[in-house]
Amino acid sequence: MTAITDTTALAGRILLHWRQRPGSILVGFLFPVLMVLMFGYLFGGAMAVPDGDYLDFLIPGMLAMTMLFGLEAMVVAVTTDTAKGVTERIRAMPVSATAVLAGRGVADLLNAVVGLAVMVVTGLLVGWAPERGLLPSLAAFGLLLWLRFAFTWVGIYLGLLLKTPESAVAVQILVWPVGFLSSAFVSPSTMPGWLGAIGAWNPLSATATAIRDLFGNPTWGATDWASTHSVALALLWPAVLTALFLPLAVKRYRALGR
């Protein structure tokens, strides 16, 4: 019960902190909307999706990309707390490492839910819609949050490892190749062979392809193994990332100051 109370209190601290900087939070929510408008209307006319409209292909990809952006935001948040001494003050309190990091995770998932809501409304306004009913759509959102949960732990670990907001720029730079080398914007089948193979097995591609199937949206005719088993991979990839980075993050937090 103490761990749950500590986790809730620490998550609440982060949410209160967000209230003090609504401008940056609003920009974080609206940036994916800008990307939808840019790719959908500036570049979308050149995109010929074999089995449907490009916007219907794009929106699930952008929902997955929004989950990836959480990694970047988490690294910046953790390094900022470290640079300001907040992390050390919390470490001096009688709070377990797991509760501290879980509090960040809970706050980030709440942020992800709001971000998804903004993107869903954007999608509906531009003409996108789920085609397979409520339960498959809920399953799709579950896969998205499952991916975000995994990226949360990757972000926490990298933030604790890098320590300074300036060094977090390296992660911000790397996030974009990971996002573009996926099926978020185009099918990996349109890429050169070796690059397409990497893109098809990208964890982001697994979730994007899986939710397209669950929403009943076009998949650009993908028939490779990774695409036809995308739901299984969308469950497996976040599990692997969480199993790897959650204990690394806890270990790194406990080792701070040694």
Side-chain angles (χ1 to χ4, degrees):
M1 185 61 70
T2 301
I4 295 175
T5 302
D6 290 342
T7 297
T8 303
L10 290 164
R13 180 194 74 85
I14 295 170
L15 295 176
L16 287 173
H17 183 64
W18 287 345
R19 288 178 58 186
Q20 298 172 4
R21 48 187 185 92
S24 61
I25 299 300
L26 185 62
V27 169
F29 288 145
L30 294 182
F31 179 68
V33 175
L34 176 62
M35 291 190 67
V36 167
L37 298 178
M38 182 173 65
F39 278 89
Y41 292 103
L42 293 183
F43 306 139
M47 303 292 187
V49 181
D51 51 349
D53 181 74
Y54 181 65
L55 271 172
D56 289 335
F57 178 87
L58 175 65
I59 295 299
M62 279 307 306
L63 290 172
M65 278 290 289
T66 303
M67 300 300 96
L68 177 63
F69 292 153
L71 187 157
E72 179 183 342
M74 181 60 72
V75 173
V76 173
V78 173
T79 54
T80 299
D81 272 2
T82 301
K84 291 182 177 180
V86 175
T87 301
E88 283 304 312
R89 289 198 294 272
I90 293 176
R91 276 174 47 80
M93 299 168 62
V95 181
S96 72
T98 303
V100 173
L101 302 183
R104 283 200 174 277
V106 169
D108 187 64
L109 283 178
L110 292 174
N111 183 51
V113 170
V114 177
L116 282 177
V118 171
M119 288 302 300
V120 168
V121 171
T122 300
L124 294 174
L125 289 175
V126 300
W128 167 83
E131 303 290 344
R132 292 190 174 170
L134 180 61
L135 290 181
S137 296
L138 290 177
F141 291 125
L143 288 179
L144 287 164
L145 293 175
W146 179 222
L147 181 67
R148 178 62 167 254
F149 180 76
F151 283 150
T152 293
W153 292 105
V154 178
I156 290 174
Y157 173 70
L158 293 177
L160 293 172
L161 190 66
L162 296 173
K163 295 184 179 180
T164 65
E166 292 76 18
S167 60
V169 173
V171 175
Q172 292 175 305
I173 293 172
L174 290 174
V175 160
W176 289 99
V178 172
F180 280 103
L181 188 55
S182 72
S183 66
F185 300 103
V186 297
S187 171
S189 63
T190 65
M191 304 175 187
W194 64 272
L195 204 60
I198 296 173
W201 287 90
N202 186 329
L204 195 68
S205 293
T207 298
T209 304
I211 64 173
R212 286 187 183 108
D213 182 56
L214 290 168
F215 285 139
N217 295 147
T219 60
W220 209 308
T223 58
D224 57 281
W225 193 95
S227 297
T228 56
H229 295 80
S230 58
V231 173
L233 288 177
L235 290 169
L236 180 61
W237 266 120
V240 171
L241 291 173
T242 302
L244 177 62
F245 284 97
L246 191 157
L248 284 175
V250 173
K251 182 179 179 180
R252 182 66 186 172
Y253 179 82
R254 288 173 174 165
L256 290 177
R258 293 182 184 175

